[in-house]
Amino acid sequence: TITEEQRTQLRHESLLIRSFATVAGTRTTAPNIAIQEQATTRADRDQAQSAVGELFLIPIKEDDALLGLLVTTNLWPGGLRRAEQVEILARLGQTIMRRYFQERRLQQHENDLWLAREMLRLKSIADCATDQPLDTLGELTSALCGSSEMDRAALYLFSRRATDEAEPVVQAGAPLPPTVAGEWRAHETRLIAATATAIHGQFLDKSQLESNGITTLWGQAAAFPLRIGGKQLGSLILSRRSRNPLADRSNKLIEWTADLLAQTVHRIYRDASIRRQARHDGLTDLANRRTFDTLLAGEVDRVRLGLSEECSLLLADLDRFKSINDRHGHQAGDEVLRVTAQLLREHVGRMRVGERSLLARYGGEELAILLPGVGTAGALRIAEEIRAAVHARTIHYGDQQLAVTVSIGVASCPMHGIGAADLVAAADQALYRAKSEGRNRVCRPQDS
């Protein structure tokens, strides 16, 4: 260590000589140079200190800027005048310093190239078009974990409801034994809560982790909130057992990728919203006619190819819907459609009739329910329960109470048709029967 006064002297002089002050058993407070020898024992250190009489400080300068010091215990080479020795050592110091800066510039250049290459690789993953967005997020997170010297990486996303906790949608890195996995996950959850209000990401060493209650498993971690427009979409948590500092390039890559992940998650949400708008009816939030036709054709093909035994179709039509529009206005009619669609969605959801079931607005006041894997008997039972639920529901619109009923036609493939058009025609025929026989009832096609 040197004092500021000595630093100032070295800026203007070519040599500074200081005696080596040693006070046995205590640290020197004299304004001289204080040195700690790298010796294995105290005896070795004392011997080294006793052998030093003076220290010679040769400044290494460039354009009067002090770049460093060459510190020696003797001037060299022997047999020359001190001025010549100082000049030789100063040139030696300049050579060492020049080589040092060259190495640093070369290393920085290599780091910049590595960082640019990794950024391009990660960006190409994020930009890859796919119908499986979780695969994209998983590949991106896994690539970052491998490049940044981290043991594990986890991507947590928040739901739209503020009361819900973040859920890990992606986990990457070294597999964890069951005895460790739970605690590792608890650490991630704790870190998300601890950094929930942070505006920027944080790199945490062992002491900072301990201050957040994480005292086991981890030696280092990084926690980055994924924000777009001030809204937090989720969190990126990276962790490792080692306490060795991360390379600066790894820090930069993590920080850059966290921003890329936030943009990617935001784009996935936006694209999903656009696709949903294209596939759904804006009023009822049910699938639209185009989506229904596509999925109906697919399910009928599955039955024809023997991949599924049967599927059923329900066509439901609100009774005397035109009179509701004429008497109470089209806004009241829209409300009746919205509430009825929501009632059907909740009812079918409770029945657990399969993941491929579909509710759609078929046209006007007509709604369709596609039930893959359900035969005629099951479809008739479901239709009757829906009819009864609609009949029992009173819809409030302003200060008015509207009572509505629904007629439902039921048809099944392959019993009533082996093509999509045939199945729709059969269900429509059954619906016509329900209407003509008095409405507010369920019918199937007449046996032939």
Side-chain angles (χ1 to χ4, degrees):
T1 56
I2 63 172
T3 65
E4 187 58 39
E5 179 185 356
Q6 291 165 344
R7 186 188 295 266
T8 302
Q9 284 181 269
L10 288 164
R11 288 195 185 97
H12 300 94
E13 300 177 13
S14 59
L15 176 66
L16 189 61
I17 304 174
R18 284 294 179 263
S19 60
F20 186 25
T22 304
V23 180
T26 62
R27 179 174 294 182
T28 178
T29 58
N32 294 328
I33 307 301
I35 289 186
Q36 288 182 325
E37 293 285 347
Q38 291 185 350
T40 55
T41 66
R42 184 186 181 107
D44 291 338
R45 186 168 63 250
D46 292 343
Q47 182 179 0
Q49 289 178 348
S50 64
V52 178
E54 293 178 311
L55 291 178
F56 299 89
L57 281 64
I58 296 94
I60 301 172
K61 294 181 283 189
E62 185 176 277
D63 299 330
D64 295 328
L66 183 63
L67 302 180
L69 296 175
L70 178 60
V71 183
T72 74
T73 56
N74 287 285
L75 292 179
W76 177 89
L80 297 180
R81 291 183 295 113
R82 173 166 291 186
E84 294 172 335
Q85 292 173 323
V86 170
E87 182 180 357
I88 291 173
L89 287 173
R91 289 182 181 178
L92 175 62
Q94 289 283 4
T95 301
I96 294 171
M97 189 62 69
R98 192 176 299 113
R99 179 63 180 272
Y100 169 72
F101 281 118
Q102 287 175 348
E103 292 287 347
R104 283 192 59 181
R105 282 193 293 269
L106 178 60
Q107 184 63 48
Q108 185 60 49
H109 181 62
E110 291 176 351
N111 286 339
D112 290 344
L113 286 176
W114 177 88
L115 193 57
R117 184 171 62 250
E118 290 301 309
M119 286 179 174
L120 284 173
R121 184 168 72 96
L122 295 173
K123 187 70 165 63
S124 67
I125 295 173
D127 291 343
C128 183
T130 176
D131 292 332
Q132 303 295 328
L134 281 183
D135 291 348
T136 297
L137 294 176
E139 187 177 355
L140 190 55
T141 306
S142 180
L144 172 63
C145 184
S147 297
S148 61
E149 309 172 67
M150 286 292 190
D151 292 335
R152 295 279 296 171
L155 177 63
Y156 285 72
L157 295 183
F158 297 125
S159 72
R160 297 189 178 188
R161 293 178 294 187
T163 55
D164 290 349
E165 294 183 353
E167 289 292 329
V169 296
V170 169
Q171 293 180 307
L176 300 173
T179 54
V180 170
E183 190 173 5
W184 204 287
R185 166 79 181 275
H187 287 350
E188 291 171 348
T189 304
R190 183 186 293 271
L191 203 53
I192 290 173
T195 59
T197 59
I199 298 176
H200 304 291
Q202 300 179 36
F203 293 95
L204 301 99
D205 59 21
K206 184 65 174 177
S207 61
Q208 291 168 316
L209 289 171
E210 289 175 350
S211 68
N212 284 287
I214 300 174
T215 59
T216 59
L217 296 179
W218 291 4
Q220 279 182 299
F224 277 77
L226 307 182
R227 298 183 186 277
I228 291 290
K231 180 180 179 180
Q232 185 167 354
L233 306 177
S235 288
L236 172 65
I237 306 295
L238 298 106
S239 47
R240 66 197 299 234
R241 295 176 183 270
S242 173
R243 299 186 186 183
N244 296 329
L246 282 175
D248 183 57
R249 67 183 191 178
S250 293
N251 290 338
K252 291 179 179 178
L253 185 64
I254 291 172
E255 189 170 355
W256 180 86
T257 308
D259 184 60
L260 177 65
L261 273 167
Q263 296 175 31
T264 303
V265 170
H266 179 64
R267 189 192 71 226
I268 289 171
Y269 282 168
R270 183 193 60 211
D271 292 349
S273 177
I274 292 172
R275 286 196 296 270
R276 181 175 179 81
Q277 290 173 16
R279 296 174 181 173
H280 283 68
D281 171 64
L283 176 64
T284 61
D285 199 33
L286 302 180
N288 58 23
R289 174 68 179 272
R290 181 180 178 183
T291 303
F292 169 80
D293 287 343
T294 301
L295 295 180
L296 173 63
E299 289 302 329
V300 170
D301 283 345
R302 285 176 59 85
V303 174
R304 187 165 54 243
L305 294 172
L307 301 176
S308 178
E309 291 186 2
E310 54 194 348
C311 73
S312 293
L313 171 63
L314 279 57
L315 285 183
D317 189 87
L318 289 168
D319 296 327
R320 298 187 174 87
F321 184 74
K322 185 177 182 300
S323 65
I324 296 176
N325 283 334
D326 293 343
R327 183 180 304 175
H328 304 286
H330 286 280
Q331 290 184 337
D334 288 349
E335 180 65 12
V336 168
L337 271 172
R338 274 194 294 266
V339 172
T340 303
Q342 179 62 27
L343 181 64
L344 264 63
R345 185 186 297 108
E346 293 173 354
H347 205 73
V348 172
R350 285 197 298 269
M351 292 180 184
R352 298 181 180 180
V353 290
E355 294 181 355
R356 297 201 313 277
S357 62
L358 177 72
L359 283 79
R361 186 180 182 186
Y362 193 72
E365 67 273 19
E366 200 168 15
L367 307 176
I369 304 173
L370 180 61
L371 301 172
V374 178
T376 304
L380 287 170
R381 176 181 56 80
I382 292 171
E384 179 57 35
E385 291 181 6
I386 289 174
R387 184 207 62 76
V390 173
H391 179 74
R393 179 70 176 267
T394 300
I395 298 174
H396 299 275
Y397 178 73
D399 57 354
Q400 304 174 71
Q401 295 184 352
L402 307 177
V404 297
T405 60
V406 65
S407 299
I408 303 175
V410 177
S412 300
C413 176
M415 178 179 289
H416 303 118
I418 57 172
D422 295 337
L423 188 61
V424 171
D428 196 52
Q429 177 201 355
L431 176 60
Y432 181 79
R433 278 189 61 201
K435 290 284 190 182
S436 62
E437 292 180 8
R439 298 182 177 86
N440 189 25
R441 66 191 60 222
V442 175
C443 289
R444 56 179 290 180
Q446 290 180 327
D447 295 330
S448 63

